[in-house]
Amino acid sequence: MKFKNKVVLITWASKWIWRATALYFWKEWASVVVNYLNSEENAFKVVDAIKKMWSNSIAIKWDVSDENQVINMVNESIKIFWKIDILINNAWIIISEPILSKTLNQWNSVINTNLLGTFLCSKHVVTKMLDNNNWWVILNVSSINWTKYFSPDEINYDISKAWIIALTKNFAKAFSPKIR
């Protein structure tokens, strides 16, 4: 029960390992906010699994690259759970296209979801975290692609993941030791 009475917000928690992460926090008695964009059915499966086991959970659809939607998501989470203790920024997309064929729209879609989304969620959750007297954690998910497995067809993905490391270090410097 390491996370009893903690509230965890996980972006794009309806799929893959992040579904398992949401269920892990449930096993540790945390309340879980499951974000999704396109996988509503999967999101509600995660929420239903958590609720069956006596823990609180909600699913919220929002686009992490849209600041107004992020603000609404954070406010809705606070309205229901009164706080957010842990933020896991996991939302990402990848568009594989040869460098010289990649369109500006494809470039921006990846950067806006992967990097801008991480920034917006962190920014708006931090403002709420600093309002309560507790410990907080922000976990930003990057990738080894930015250091080892460069893929020219996925250049904007690789760059977005490298920039997430810089973003994370800057947030850590700005808000340490209150926020890890």
Side-chain angles (χ1 to χ4, degrees):
M1 296 199 301
K2 290 187 249 183
F3 297 101
K4 187 174 184 178
N5 299 321
K6 300 295 180 194
V7 177
V8 183
L9 187 156
I10 307 173
T11 62
W12 293 24
S14 60
K15 296 182 182 177
W16 307 301
I17 193 170
W18 302 104
R19 179 184 193 281
T21 303
L23 295 174
Y24 166 79
F25 279 108
W26 147 75
K27 287 179 183 177
E28 294 294 332
W29 293 79
S31 296
V32 182
V33 178
V34 175
N35 163 245
Y36 69 96
L37 182 60
N38 297 317
S39 51
E40 181 176 25
E41 182 179 343
N42 290 336
F44 281 97
K45 283 180 184 177
V46 174
V47 168
D48 290 343
I50 292 170
K51 284 183 173 181
K52 283 180 187 174
M53 304 311 277
W54 310 103
S55 194
N56 291 319
S57 183
I58 59 170
I60 299 177
K61 177 180 180 174
W62 85 91
D63 179 351
V64 297
S65 68
D66 181 315
E67 187 165 27
N68 289 326
Q69 289 186 44
V70 170
I71 290 168
N72 290 337
M73 177 275 308
V74 171
N75 289 337
E76 186 174 341
S77 299
I78 298 291
K79 180 180 172 184
I80 293 169
F81 294 117
W82 298 90
K83 62 180 180 167
I84 298 170
D85 299 296
I86 300 168
L87 168 64
I88 301 177
N89 282 309
N90 170 63
W92 62 275
I93 62 171
I94 193 167
I95 298 173
S96 193
E97 185 73 35
I99 289 177
L100 297 180
S101 299
K102 197 171 290 287
T103 67
L104 182 59
N105 189 44
Q106 291 170 329
W107 179 273
N108 288 338
S109 293
V110 171
I111 298 299
N112 288 345
T113 297
N114 300 4
L115 179 63
L116 180 62
T118 298
F119 169 73
L120 292 173
C121 290
S122 297
K123 173 186 172 184
H124 291 290
V125 168
V126 162
T127 61
K128 301 299 183 183
M129 287 177 164
L130 294 174
D131 285 347
N132 75 46
N133 201 10
N134 208 342
W135 60 267
W136 315 280
V137 175
I138 296 176
L139 175 74
N140 294 328
V141 178
S142 185
S143 170
I144 60 172
N145 278 41
W146 75 278
T147 59
K148 293 185 178 196
Y149 302 106
F150 297 112
S151 173
D153 292 352
E154 297 161 357
I155 186 173
N156 49 348
Y157 174 83
D158 295 347
I159 288 170
S160 72
K161 293 302 184 173
W163 287 347
I164 286 173
I165 299 300
L167 183 145
T168 302
K169 289 181 178 186
N170 278 280
F171 265 80
K173 187 170 185 171
F175 300 106
S176 170
K178 291 183 176 189
I179 299 172
R180 283 188 297 130

